[in-house]
Amino acid sequence: MTTEGGVQYSKIAEIKGPLVVVDDVDNAAFDELVEVETNEGERRLGKVLEVGNGKAIVQVFEGTTGLSISGTNAKFVGKVMEMPVSKEVLGRVFDGLGRPKDGLPDPIADKFIDINGEPMNPEQREYPKDFIQTGVSVIDGLITLVRGQKLPIFSGSGMSHNLLAAQIARQASVVGTNDDFAVVFAAIGVQYSEAEYFRKSLEESGALKRSVLFLNTADDPAIERIITPRVALTVAEYLAFELGMHVLVILTDMTNYAEALREISAAREEVPGRKGYPGYLYTDLSTLYERAGKLNGRKGSVTQVPILSMPSDDITHPIPDLTGYITEGQVVVGRDLFRQGVYPPINILMSLSRLMKDGIGEGSTREDHAEVANQVYDAYSRAQEVRALAGIVGKAGLTEIDLKYMDVGDVFEKEFLSQATDENRTIDETLAILWKIVSKLPKNEITKIKDKYVDQYYQGE
Amino acid sequence: MTNSSLEKTIDKILDQTEHDILSNLDGAVSDSHQILDNSVTKLEDEYDKIVADGRKEADKLEKQIIGGSDIEARNKQLLALEDAVSRVFTKALDQISNSDRNGDYANLIKSLLDESTKVLGTSEVIVFTNSKDRDVVQSALSNFAGSELSSETIDCIGGVKIQSKDGAMKFDNTIDAKIDRLKPLIRKEIASKFGVKE
């Protein structure tokens, strides 16, 4: 943190969307924090996007509404944006820029950290291989989350991804270790009711104690959304790598982040890329997603679950598309299951956790986990084919084994996938339901599980 | 048919009926034992499930109660600490405000002016200060060619605010602004004096 003050400039050349162009600026630095003061003395924060030819382009986080060229001053603070961090941030609620929103004073900072962070040195990265229990069967059983992983949830508008996000935040824990666990929850451009739901849900479950909330609501300036995930990740990195905690970061909704990025890009008159998003969307997203991981010789970890709503449920849309290139798998929320009233409506056939294989099995979950999960994937996939066939030839045209697979599909959706929003299932309970599903099949259909596990866990005839 | 054969037939029927009834009773007893045996397992499973659910619910409630009260206690501590820190600040600011403008203070003003002109990159500036510091500032300005003291005074504890002569650049180097910038660090120091560790 610098104790020097900054120079205040009063020559504003132009105000364009969220940007202010300041003239006759000598010593501004890229990304430098700027305090913009309005005619009425109101202060807004911004940062330098471009400098050169005596001009500085400043992006004002709280928007430029009400600013005029005359009477507006821009004070270049001489430092980049920093987040005050200490263990005291746990249990606190902040706004999208990291200012207290819970009526309490600023946390007494142990450190002030640049919110832009630094990408992890690949050589220093440790391969993630430890299981995180979310208490949600479909994730723990079939799309297992691993400490240090980045696993996005692809959803659509109006679906129950926020319920799922809150449930994961409440229930997530690390099993088999006494290490501290924390949740950093960043709500980006969510409705006020959703933000309140997140806050209340954590407060009432007692999970707020180990959580930090950053709430940027839909009526907050869009530009603030650029900062929200960065302050959240800065706090997460501090808790993980300085205090040795395992931190789960939930970012919802990254689509709103990308929209804010597009807004700035349009105001800067940059050449648009796909669907008007800037050409550097991939690079920009990676500067956030790549802040997840584990470091050699450090105790903690940062695990990310970014949530994004796909416009028109289009998985080829640039945001999910580019996110998918960076992250390690995806959890896809399915519209059909949502319409059937299934919660959580996760389409497992489109979902995948690339690091699951390293985080499950003996010593992490249970020795039969991988095989029983594969068998259930296979059976549910076959059930879907049989359902399609039944749609054409009718149930009467199905064989006895086809009917058994149909039964497997129903049990899977009713007993395994469906779960109450406050139901926290242990991994053993989840595996027991997986075996119940497998046990609906005759033994000769079980081809992916070793006999010794079948003998031990199979409950069929 | 004689009476005796009728009686015999009746006895036979009675025997048969008795036998049937007894065998039915035996069957019923053995069935009920079987049902009871099965129920015991079912009951034990149900019992275990209810106990497990109860434990889960109790854990949940425990977490809720402990988590809620921990947060509440922490928040009260934070507010009390902030109140104490504010009082320390107010007292310190009062002391600074009422301090003598002696030799050390003149040196401070000089260094503030020096720092400010360096930041603006020119000594062609207009200097603003409060009514108390006017004399000290005026005498220090002789070292800064081209600078002039504004007739307007500003409301501050001490120090200077400077502005380039065209009004395009300003630099606030008042003691108030300095304290404002240092406040987060000072708060940490004060909190540690109250025994609050990070």
Side-chain angles (χ1 to χ4, degrees):
Chain A
M1 187 186 170
T2 171
T3 56
E4 277 179 23
V7 180
Q8 193 175 36
Y9 293 89
S10 53
K11 268 197 184 169
I12 306 296
E14 201 179 350
I15 299 173
K16 196 163 56 173
L19 307 180
V20 170
V21 183
V22 190
D23 236 343
D24 290 344
V25 178
D26 286 335
N27 281 321
F30 181 70
D31 256 357
E32 184 175 342
L33 190 65
V34 181
E35 274 177 21
V36 177
E37 199 178 298
T38 65
N39 275 334
E40 290 79 30
E42 184 202 340
R43 281 184 186 180
R44 300 182 193 181
L45 289 178
K47 72 168 182 175
V48 176
L49 288 185
E50 271 177 48
V51 272
N53 302 324
K55 286 184 199 298
I57 298 179
V58 177
Q59 168 195 322
V60 185
F61 300 138
E62 290 130 304
T64 52
T65 310
L67 292 186
S68 65
I69 287 177
S70 62
T72 298
N73 294 305
K75 182 171 157 190
F76 291 72
V77 179
K79 60 174 184 178
V80 293
M81 193 167 180
E82 289 169 336
M83 177 73 196
V85 290
S86 68
K87 199 172 183 181
E88 228 186 61
V89 294
L90 285 168
R92 298 291 307 268
V93 183
F94 299 95
D95 71 2
L97 292 178
R99 296 172 299 201
K101 208 179 178 171
D102 48 10
L104 294 169
D106 282 328
I108 291 179
D110 179 25
K111 270 186 168 182
F112 293 84
I113 304 180
D114 176 2
I115 62 154
N116 296 301
E118 276 181 32
M120 286 184 198
N121 180 349
E123 203 270 327
Q124 290 291 308
R125 276 184 186 268
E126 193 183 313
Y127 195 82
K129 53 180 187 310
D130 302 304
F131 169 62
I132 289 185
Q133 184 174 287
T134 64
V136 178
S137 278
V138 64
I139 296 180
D140 293 346
L142 300 178
I143 322 158
T144 312
L145 183 62
V146 175
R147 275 181 245 162
Q149 185 178 10
K150 37 197 179 286
L151 185 65
I153 297 178
F154 291 175
S155 185
S157 62
M159 290 206 276
S160 42
H161 48 270
N162 284 332
L163 279 182
L164 181 62
Q167 186 171 10
I168 294 173
R170 281 193 312 267
Q171 297 180 174
S173 61
V174 286
V175 282
T177 164
N178 290 325
D179 292 352
D180 285 331
F181 184 77
V183 174
V184 174
F185 194 101
I188 308 162
V190 299
Q191 290 169 20
Y192 181 76
S193 56
E194 287 169 336
E196 271 304 284
Y197 170 74
F198 291 136
R199 197 180 57 76
K200 277 198 175 145
S201 151
L202 289 172
E203 216 170 71
E204 285 167 5
S205 65
L208 184 61
K209 193 178 136 186
R210 53 152 210 197
S211 312
V212 192
L213 260 82
F214 292 90
L215 301 177
N216 167 275
T217 50
D219 59 342
D220 286 331
I223 307 307
E224 255 188 49
R225 285 165 209 158
I226 300 291
I227 298 302
T228 310
R230 292 186 163 82
V231 285
L233 286 164
T234 304
V235 167
E237 284 166 347
Y238 171 78
L239 295 174
F241 304 125
E242 303 271 337
L243 303 184
M245 302 174 95
H246 296 294
V247 186
L248 173 65
V249 184
I250 299 174
L251 307 166
T252 178
D253 178 337
M254 287 302 287
T255 301
N256 294 333
Y257 170 83
E259 300 287 349
L261 207 60
R262 177 162 70 174
E263 195 176 313
I264 295 168
S265 173
R268 289 171 75 180
E269 294 173 9
E270 289 168 342
V271 178
R274 276 199 291 162
K275 301 223 186 238
Y277 293 98
Y280 51 80
L281 179 63
Y282 174 81
T283 317
D284 193 281
L285 288 174
S286 69
T287 61
L288 297 175
Y289 297 146
E290 289 292 348
R291 289 174 77 171
K294 284 183 81 182
L295 289 174
N296 280 327
R298 306 272 185 108
K299 204 170 140 200
S301 61
V302 175
T303 309
Q304 269 190 45
V305 177
I307 297 173
L308 39 107
S309 50
M310 300 177 287
S312 316
D313 293 350
D314 177 11
I315 204 164
T316 65
H317 186 277
I319 305 169
D321 186 27
L322 297 177
T323 297
Y325 287 131
I326 307 162
T327 52
E328 290 136 350
Q330 72 278 333
V331 176
V332 180
V333 180
R335 183 72 66 184
D336 288 346
L337 288 165
F338 175 70
R339 284 195 184 120
Q340 285 168 38
V342 173
Y343 171 83
I346 291 170
N347 181 342
I348 63 151
L349 300 179
M350 290 184 77
S351 305
L352 170 76
S353 165
R354 289 185 200 283
L355 303 184
M356 175 180 172
K357 63 183 189 323
D358 304 297
I360 59 171
E362 202 172 353
S364 313
T365 54
R366 211 169 69 186
E367 67 282 2
D368 56 314
H369 187 160
E371 292 176 24
V372 74
N374 282 344
Q375 188 69 57
V376 168
Y377 253 111
D378 180 73
Y380 187 64
S381 155
R382 176 90 183 267
Q384 296 292 74
E385 285 169 20
V386 173
R387 280 173 176 173
L389 184 65
I392 301 164
V393 299
K395 248 186 169 178
L398 299 178
T399 63
E400 199 182 324
I401 194 70
D402 285 344
L403 291 170
K404 282 207 157 62
Y405 274 104
M406 265 188 106
D407 191 26
V408 161
D410 292 342
V411 175
F412 177 83
E413 285 166 9
K414 281 185 192 133
E415 294 188 29
F416 180 78
L417 202 52
S418 294
Q419 189 171 339
T421 51
D422 61 348
E423 190 182 356
N424 187 358
R425 290 187 192 151
T426 62
I427 186 65
D428 287 330
E429 287 169 328
T430 292
L431 289 171
I433 308 175
L434 284 177
W435 271 105
K436 189 176 174 188
I437 296 164
V438 169
S439 301
K440 293 274 166 199
L441 294 171
K443 271 190 180 172
N444 60 1
E445 287 291 312
I446 301 171
T447 54
K448 299 187 183 300
I449 308 177
K450 286 189 193 85
D451 287 347
K452 61 175 182 177
Y453 300 139
V454 175
D455 294 342
Q456 196 175 345
Y457 298 109
Y458 184 75
Q459 308 142 22
E461 298 300 315
Chain B
M1 198 185 273
T2 62
N3 272 350
S4 66
S5 58
L6 185 65
E7 277 170 9
K8 265 185 193 169
T9 311
I10 290 170
D11 285 346
K12 208 173 170 184
I13 291 168
L14 280 174
D15 285 347
Q16 186 62 45
T17 312
E18 188 186 357
H19 181 263
D20 285 353
I21 289 171
L22 285 174
S23 114
N24 279 347
L25 277 173
D26 284 347
V29 168
S30 104
D31 282 355
S32 61
H33 279 138
Q34 186 63 47
I35 289 166
L36 269 176
D37 286 348
N38 292 344
S39 315
V40 168
T41 332
K42 264 190 191 165
L43 197 68
E44 278 170 0
D45 287 349
E46 278 299 308
Y47 175 81
D48 288 346
K49 198 172 176 290
I50 291 166
V51 169
D53 287 351
R55 259 194 212 122
K56 260 190 180 178
E57 196 59 33
D59 281 350
K60 212 162 90 179
L61 284 173
E62 188 188 348
K63 271 186 195 160
Q64 277 174 22
I65 294 164
I66 293 176
S69 44
D70 277 355
I71 287 280
E72 204 175 317
R74 204 276 312 266
N75 289 353
K76 280 186 179 157
Q77 189 198 358
L78 279 181
L79 288 170
L81 179 68
E82 191 61 18
D83 186 44
V85 170
S86 299
R87 272 188 279 147
V88 171
F89 261 108
T90 316
K91 202 160 183 194
L93 291 178
D94 273 353
Q95 279 181 7
I96 296 169
S97 173
N98 297 323
S99 63
D100 288 340
R101 268 48 181 165
N102 55 23
D104 281 351
Y105 192 77
N107 286 338
L108 171 70
I109 291 288
K110 216 175 184 181
S111 70
L112 289 177
L113 279 167
D114 190 41
E115 190 184 21
S116 311
T117 49
K118 271 185 188 151
V119 169
L120 286 201
T122 174
S123 60
E124 296 278 326
V125 291
I126 303 168
V127 181
F128 298 84
T129 188
N130 63 12
S131 53
K132 240 180 174 179
D133 290 356
R134 279 189 69 84
D135 295 342
V136 191
V137 173
Q138 185 66 70
S139 58
L141 281 183
S142 54
N143 298 317
F144 300 91
S147 62
E148 59 183 79
L149 183 63
S150 168
S151 55
E152 282 175 46
T153 54
I154 54 170
D155 183 21
C156 66
I157 295 169
V160 292
K161 221 179 220 183
I162 67 165
Q163 177 184 310
S164 61
K165 284 194 171 160
D166 62 356
M169 289 189 288
K170 286 177 193 156
F171 185 71
D172 188 348
N173 218 6
T174 55
I175 292 173
D176 312 51
K178 279 216 173 258
I179 288 177
D180 222 32
R181 292 195 287 268
L182 283 165
K183 204 170 179 178
L185 297 177
I186 302 172
R187 279 176 79 228
K188 188 185 166 191
E189 288 297 315
I190 300 172
S192 67
K193 300 275 182 235
F194 285 115
V196 177
K197 291 173 192 155
E198 296 97 37

